[in-house]
Amino acid sequence: MGTTQSGIHGGRLSPSDYERNFSDLHPRLDDHEALVAADRCYFCHDAPCMTACPTTIDIPMFIRQISTGNPIGSAKTIFDQNILGGMCARVCPTETLCEEACVRNTAEHRPVEIGRLQRYATDVAIAGNHQFYARAERTGKAVAVVGAGPAGLACAHRLAVMGHDVVILEAREKSGGLNEYGIATYKAVDDFAQREVDYVLSVGGIEVKHGVKLGRDFTLADLTANFDAVFLGMGLAGVNGLGVEGEHLPGVVDAVDFIARLRQAKDKAEVPVGRRVVVIGGGMTAIDAAVQAKLLGAEEVTICYRRGKEHMNASPFEQDLAASKGVMIRHWLQPKRVIARDGHVAGIEVEYTELVDGRLAGTGETGVLAADQIFKAIGQTFEASGLGALSITGGRIAVDAEGRTSVPGIWAGGDCVKAGEDLTVTSVAQGRDAAESIHRALAAAVQPAAAVA
Amino acid sequence: MADLRNDFVGIKSPNPFWLASAPPTDKAYNVERAFKAGWGGVVWKTLGEEGPPVVNVNGPRYGAIWGADRRLLGLNNIELITDRDLYVNLREMKQVKMNWPDRALVASIMVPCEEESWKAILPLVEETGADGIELNFGCPHGMSERGMGAAVGQVPEYIEMVVRWCKQYTRMPVITKLTPNITDIRKPARAAKAGGTDAVSLINTINSIVSVDLDNFAPNPTVGGKGTHGGYCGPAVKPIALNMVAEIARDPETYGLPISGIGGITTWRDAAEFMALGAGNVQVCTAAMTYGFKIVQEMITGLSNWMDAKGHRTLDDIVARAVPNVTDWQYLNLNYIAKARIDQDACIKCGRCHIACEDTSHQAITQFVDGVRHFEVMEDECVGCNLCVNVCPVENCITMVGLEAGTLDQRTGKPVDPTYANWTTHPNNPMARQAAE
Ligand SMILES: Cc1cc2nc3c(=O)[nH]c(=O)nc-3n(C[C@H](O)[C@H](O)[C@H](O)COP(=O)(O)OP(=O)(O)OC[C@H]3O[C@@H](n4cnc5c(N)ncnc54)[C@H](O)[C@@H]3O)c2cc1C
Ligand SMILES: Cc1cc2nc3c(=O)[nH]c(=O)nc-3n(C[C@H](O)[C@H](O)[C@H](O)COP(=O)(O)O)c2cc1C
Ligand code: SF4
């Protein structure tokens, strides 16, 4: 088959090529590498890395624990703040978070490898199935969590630890949200996402129901009637359309669907990919789709972004990664029309763009890129159906700093709210903080009786 | 090019770098390799009495302290003196000395503390053509339990007695190797001098337990479930050795007594420091055992380049140059005032200077200035202690700046006094002598 056959096919590569392409991007540090990497940390006071972490992990402390041969203590330091610290260690854009803040950059332009060290410690703990948390005495309160993504899992875990009973209602067949269906394959290899879910749930007190969807199988009112509190962590279920002619032709696919299929494929050779692939978009999803298309054996992969390099949501690190895999990134191009041949995608007509008085406009100059497959990666949208009176802002659920929605008793966090960046780690922070807020609210509700007695 | 030729109590070597008496000098094979690599001399692994040689343990002999990258910082051993037959050693020494006439070959000796034993071995050693002898009064383990090594080195009277025997029964120069396992190193040095020694060498290893195996609850190295104290050496012991060398170099009673400096020497710079404090040459063990004999080439070129850069032509230009600047605390100038200064361009904002000063010292470094993370010395609080300089991970970022006489010390509100004044005359000192009287 090979990389040069036109059309959309699987099996373009040899099994060993697939294996190599989809192996770990940053393999786990071995013990000695971890000690050496840990030794570079200065144990900063009021460390800037810690401030830069959305979950405020005590980074200098966990690194020091690694350097003293105490990876289990290190893992607990991480999990205390971020129960999904294992996944975050793999997927966080550390170059724009903790590692960007590391003071080592100032002198040497090379930060402490915080992400890889975090992975080292969390891997040791998860592999050994170390359970750090015992549930507090049962409170008798029940909380419903919608969505088993990072936000929902973090919220559920914190609530369970504090003694509440949690039921997670999840539309898909597996838990994990985008950890399971969205994250690039080479960031979370093998079944780590599921192992991590099992690890999180092993604390007890959390029941997960799969295949049940808010708005289809139950309503928000059902939840408020049956639970003491509700947390919404549904992420972004919708995808923006291109809004151009030919968008619905076979061969035009949602990048997120493509990635989900790839993540679920046991044998990567089963995932078909075009010889020439064009990805429309400029964010993390566009990069992930483009890189993985290339890794599946596409001969030519081009990302078309309608603005300049400096406007891309994808970090320079990710852009470099894409370039290193042979992905071509082109700027100032917007889609005009998908071109068909024999009822199938044959190319895409694009138009050059420019900024006119700060607004994006087509220049009128067009061209055609040949393509057998086109990925749409121009953003996900929040599907707000079935949420009743809940306030929406900027297309997502409106919440305050603690994650409270406009309706008492309902909290929300993660990608479905308008706050922070759409990142795994941000979602974990919001889920965790909402759990604390829920706990305070539930405790306040029982207080008067206790005070009288 | 600096002239590195060394003349130590009449023993000549092309450079001042000798290998100390230890495994690297245990047999002809090693010593030949060492001389090929460029070492100026060796002190042969300590010889024992005629007869069946001592036996070593057949399990681990070493324990260590490492940095994060397994850089060896300190080594501990429970090895004894040579476990090879005396005559095998003597034959090999003779052959090696013949092969390498320009290199120094000194025999280290440890025999029981009896005149007959010393009298018996000295002519045998002399016959090899060795350039001198070194008396091992240092081994802190094993041999000391048998009344030798440190057991002798800890009793100044014994030292004097044995040195005297040796001076009596041999024409070879005598170097007395001292143990650091003693409270005042000047005492054994004085005793050696009184016995007529030509030189002292120091330090031998420091009594130590290097670590404990927490699975088996036994000290390392563990031999069949048990461990014992051993001798500590390597980079970690250098500061202790430097002080002991300096103490002897500046003691009026031993002033001018030649010293062979030993203890943690790993680079040319370490060697230069020992020599500046009074060592006429240096001996190396752990560094060679860690990296092999080739390191001497770095030592030779490093010392030579430094001497060239500083205009020092021969070793005499550097030996003991720092001795006059080693003094007692009571003579330090209490009117000298220094303040830490942070180079803001070099500062990486790790905050370690702040937390060290804030938690454990004098609360003299800011964390925020106008709400911005900014580390700056508050001169009105800084006592000039230098802790921040030592905890700062960036070289030369924080420096100590001495205040000019006459400038205001913001901490005391007084101008810096240009005169020299020390504790002996300080009003707070109950014993203060009246300067004028
Ligand atoms: C392709 C891609 C790659 C990414 N790569 C990275 C990365 O490398 N690093 C990073 O930090 N972030 C990355 N992100 C972002 C990150 O995955 C998200 O920010 C994060 O997963 C959001 O977590 P969440 O819990 O809010 O939502 P999700 O992970 O989306 O989880 C929501 C869950 O709710 C369920 N659900 C949705 N609607 C309903 C309903 N009505 N009823 C019941 N259940 C429902 C979903 O099935 C899902 O399981 C990526 C995103 C994408 C799309
Ligand atoms: C700056 C400084 C001052 C010290 N002052 C004293 C002192 O006044 N009295 C004392 O008994 N020990 C003093 N010590 C020794 C310490 O108490 C301790 O014994 C020594 O530092 C070894 O322990 P450590 O290396 O584990 O810190 C001092 C140590 C330092 C570093
Ligand atoms: S900023 Fe860098 S050096 Fe400082 S604590 Fe964080 S990881 Fe360590």
Side-chain angles (χ1 to χ4, degrees), chain B residues 206-395:
Chain B
I206 303 175
N207 244 334
S208 60
I209 289 180
V210 80
S211 62
V212 175
D213 177 338
L214 288 179
D215 294 324
N216 299 313
F217 287 109
N220 284 316
T222 309
V223 180
K226 299 240 188 285
T228 184
H229 62 90
Y232 199 40
C233 48
V237 309
K238 178 187 145 194
I240 296 166
L242 278 178
N243 175 55
M244 291 186 164
V245 166
E247 284 294 285
I248 295 170
R250 72 192 189 92
D251 178 14
E253 292 191 35
T254 50
Y255 188 81
L257 179 66
I259 302 170
S260 186
I262 317 168
I265 295 164
T266 310
T267 67
W268 69 266
R269 185 179 289 276
D270 298 329
E273 292 176 20
F274 270 87
M275 295 176 83
L277 282 177
N281 74 2
V282 295
Q283 299 184 28
V284 175
C285 169
T286 305
M289 292 184 72
T290 312
Y291 302 108
F293 291 141
K294 201 170 92 177
I295 53 160
V296 74
Q297 289 152 24
E298 177 280 325
M299 293 178 170
I300 291 169
T301 55
L303 185 64
S304 171
N305 290 338
W306 168 73
M307 287 174 64
D308 286 346
K310 297 288 179 182
H312 305 304
R313 288 185 359 270
T314 69
L315 298 177
D316 291 339
D317 291 351
I318 59 170
V319 170
R321 281 283 291 275
V323 175
N325 292 329
V326 184
T327 185
D328 291 347
W329 193 97
Q330 59 180 338
Y331 300 122
L332 297 175
N333 183 3
L334 294 175
N335 282 340
Y336 173 77
I337 295 173
K339 302 281 177 187
R341 207 151 288 166
I342 301 175
D343 176 350
Q344 294 301 331
D345 292 332
C347 175
I348 60 172
K349 303 202 175 1
C350 70
R352 288 211 344 216
C353 56
H354 163 82
I355 201 64
C357 192
E358 191 71 19
D359 278 355
T360 73
S361 291
H362 302 89
Q363 297 75 45
I365 299 181
T366 63
Q367 178 180 6
F368 295 102
V369 171
D370 298 332
V372 181
R373 190 173 172 89
H374 181 89
F375 302 96
E376 198 174 288
V377 175
M378 295 178 267
E379 291 211 355
D380 54 341
E381 300 290 350
C382 175
V383 303
C385 79
N386 198 27
L387 177 64
C388 53
V389 172
N390 288 294
V391 303
C392 176
V394 180
E395 214 177 341

Side-chain angles (χ1 to χ4, degrees), chain A residues 90-93 146-153 169-172 174-179 181-184 187 212-216 218 233-237 255-256 259 284-286 288-289 318 380 383 385 413-416 421-428:
Chain A
R90 292 163 165 79
V91 308
C92 271
V146 181
L153 288 169
L169 304 147
E170 166 57 53
R172 302 187 86 144
K174 288 187 188 172
S175 301
L178 290 171
N179 285 358
Y181 294 99
I183 294 297
K187 291 187 189 169
V212 287
K213 187 168 180 180
L214 174 64
R216 181 188 68 196
F218 58 92
M234 295 116 81
L236 304 172
V256 177
I259 292 168
M284 191 136 59
T285 306
D288 283 0
E318 289 162 37
Q380 295 165 269
E383 285 182 349
S385 57
D415 285 358
C416 68
E421 284 185 86
D422 288 346
L423 293 175
T424 310
V425 67
T426 319
S427 306
V428 171

Side-chain angles (χ1 to χ4, degrees), chain A residues 124-190:
Chain A
V124 171
I126 293 177
N129 203 18
H130 281 273
Q131 179 56 259
F132 296 111
Y133 306 98
R135 293 188 67 198
E137 198 180 328
R138 298 272 290 278
T139 60
K141 301 285 181 187
V143 182
V145 169
V146 181
L153 288 169
C155 182
H157 184 268
R158 187 54 70 97
L159 287 167
V161 169
M162 292 186 293
H164 308 295
D165 291 327
V166 183
V167 178
I168 300 183
L169 304 147
E170 166 57 53
R172 302 187 86 144
E173 289 310 312
K174 288 187 188 172
S175 301
L178 290 171
N179 285 358
E180 174 61 33
Y181 294 99
I183 294 297
T185 315
Y186 45 80
K187 291 187 189 169
V189 295
D190 56 51

Side-chain angles (χ1 to χ4, degrees), chain B residues 2 11 26 38 44 57 99 102 171 280:
Chain B
I11 304 172
D26 190 32
W44 203 275
V57 294
N99 295 349
D102 70 323
R171 54 160 180 79

Side-chain angles (χ1 to χ4, degrees), chain A residues 77-237:
Chain A
T77 301
I78 295 161
F79 291 142
D80 278 352
Q81 289 297 105
N82 180 338
I83 193 64
L84 297 187
M87 186 59 83
C88 288
R90 292 163 165 79
V91 308
C92 271
T94 51
E95 65 281 358
T96 62
L97 298 169
C98 52
E99 292 182 14
E100 182 180 54
C102 177
V103 303
R104 280 265 185 188
N105 287 310
T106 316
E108 310 158 48
H109 308 286
R110 193 163 75 88
V112 172
E113 291 181 286
I114 302 171
R116 298 187 75 186
L117 285 165
Q118 178 166 323
R119 165 149 180 209
Y120 170 81
T122 51
D123 273 8
V124 171
I126 293 177
N129 203 18
H130 281 273
Q131 179 56 259
F132 296 111
Y133 306 98
R135 293 188 67 198
E137 198 180 328
R138 298 272 290 278
T139 60
K141 301 285 181 187
V143 182
V145 169
V146 181
L153 288 169
C155 182
H157 184 268
R158 187 54 70 97
L159 287 167
V161 169
M162 292 186 293
H164 308 295
D165 291 327
V166 183
V167 178
I168 300 183
L169 304 147
E170 166 57 53
R172 302 187 86 144
E173 289 310 312
K174 288 187 188 172
S175 301
L178 290 171
N179 285 358
E180 174 61 33
Y181 294 99
I183 294 297
T185 315
Y186 45 80
K187 291 187 189 169
V189 295
D190 56 51
D191 61 342
F192 179 74
Q194 286 313 300
R195 279 190 287 130
E196 183 177 52
V197 168
D198 294 343
Y199 181 71
V200 171
L201 298 181
S202 67
V203 72
I206 306 171
E207 182 193 353
V208 189
K209 294 187 171 151
H210 289 115
V212 287
K213 187 168 180 180
L214 174 64
R216 181 188 68 196
D217 305 315
F218 58 92
T219 65
L220 204 45
D222 293 336
L223 297 182
T224 46
N226 291 308
F227 291 89
D228 299 294
V230 177
F231 175 80
L232 302 174
M234 295 116 81
L236 304 172

